[in-house]
């Protein structure tokens, strides 16, 4: 990304960068929202999958609905900043 300009407060630059990344991610999911978009196993199902198979990552999750800290989303360009 861009570097803060001379004399700029680096913490405000980071906050502004975060807000841009957040807006892009939220706008992407809003554009794709619709009936039937979200489908997931219930919480107990995730717990059982982890206990039985040692699963520690999700495929087809998003920063808005991931259960584990490691997940893979459909939109790397907007979700990478949030862990995808």
């Amino acid at each position: 990304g861009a570097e803060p300009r001379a004399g700029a407060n680096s913490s405000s630059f980071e906050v502004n960068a975060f807000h841009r990344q957040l807006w892009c991610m939220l706008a992407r999911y809003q554009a794709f929202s619709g009936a039937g978009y979200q489908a997931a196993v219930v919480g107990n199902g995730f717990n059982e999958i982890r206990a039985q198979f040692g699963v520690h990552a999700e495929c087809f999750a998003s920063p808005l609905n991931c259960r584990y800290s490691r997940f893979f989303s459909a939109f790397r360009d907007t979700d990478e900043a949030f862990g995808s």
Side-chain angles (χ1 to χ4, degrees):
E3 295 296 320
R5 65 191 185 300
N9 180 330
S10 66
S11 117
S12 68
F13 179 79
E14 290 172 10
V15 168
N16 289 337
F18 170 76
H19 286 157
R20 282 192 304 276
Q21 292 167 331
L22 180 62
W23 188 92
C24 289
M25 185 265 297
L26 292 173
R28 170 71 58 83
Y29 282 97
Q30 178 64 31
F32 281 90
S33 67
Y37 179 67
Q38 296 291 328
V41 175
V42 296
N44 288 339
F46 277 106
N47 294 341
E48 194 61 27
I49 290 169
R50 177 175 250 174
Q52 294 295 318
F53 303 107
V55 172
H56 295 280
E58 294 176 74
C59 293
F60 311 110
S62 80
L64 303 173
N65 74 350
C66 61
R67 173 121 175 141
Y68 303 127
S69 60
R70 183 165 184 166
F71 66 95
F72 304 92
S73 68
F75 310 116
R76 181 177 180 196
D77 61 329
T78 57
D79 297 352
E80 186 173 31
F82 301 97
S84 178

